[in-house]
Amino acid sequence: QVQPVESGGKSVEIGDTLMLRCVASEVSDSNYCMAWFRQAPGKEREGVAAIDRFGSRSYKEYTGGRFTITKDSAKNTVYLHMTNLQPDDTAMYFCAARLPKPGVSCHAFRRTEFETWGQGTLVTVCS
């Protein structure tokens, strides 16, 4: 499979809004769970948001209602809309895809269960 490709990351200021995009062939396959993860310098990769094959969405608590994940199957694209960005949001943001697996919810954000990953797009929030 072709690797997902993320884009849209850049340097922004506190309070700004940013839209990340991930183009992946898996998006057009309704079976896939699509998710965004992020990794800040010196920290482990953590889940951000996910959208499953039923269209249900979930977010990690720290997003505080500021982030929205959507997908456009016709464009093979998953989006992450981020508002009111803070310095703690500075990280490399990754798109990932996985098929359903018994007993492992899409919304569990288990990194090892995701089969394909993009190279990431860097978001820097200047304080």
Side-chain angles (χ1 to χ4, degrees):
Q1 289 179 318
V2 178
Q3 190 175 34
V5 179
E6 303 94 337
S7 64
K10 64 178 183 180
S11 294
V12 297
E13 296 186 354
I14 294 175
D16 278 358
T17 294
L18 199 59
M19 175 79 88
L20 304 183
R21 293 172 176 80
C22 168
V23 178
S25 59
E26 291 88 347
V27 179
S28 62
D29 184 337
S30 61
N31 288 313
Y32 274 88
C33 159
M34 301 298 302
W36 286 94
F37 287 77
R38 73 183 188 182
Q39 188 166 15
K43 294 187 177 180
E44 289 193 358
R45 193 170 299 187
E46 61 181 358
V48 178
I51 183 166
D52 67 19
R53 56 182 171 152
F54 303 110
S56 296
R57 297 177 277 189
S58 64
Y59 305 89
K60 296 297 279 187
E61 191 173 319
Y62 65 77
T63 61
R66 300 178 296 127
F67 295 2
T68 303
I69 185 171
T70 57
K71 71 175 182 179
D72 185 336
S73 297
K75 295 182 179 180
N76 282 349
T77 302
V78 174
Y79 303 92
L80 183 67
H81 185 243
M82 305 185 292
T83 64
N84 191 22
L85 284 163
Q86 301 298 311
D88 285 348
D89 296 317
T90 294
M92 187 72 80
Y93 284 73
F94 299 89
C95 175
R98 52 158 282 202
L99 286 167
K101 298 179 182 178
V104 185
S105 169
C106 170
H107 306 290
F109 292 100
R110 288 192 193 175
R111 289 176 292 166
T112 55
E113 301 294 341
F114 283 81
E115 294 133 5
T116 56
W117 292 82
Q119 292 292 321
T121 186
L122 182 62
V123 175
T124 303
V125 184
C126 301
S127 57

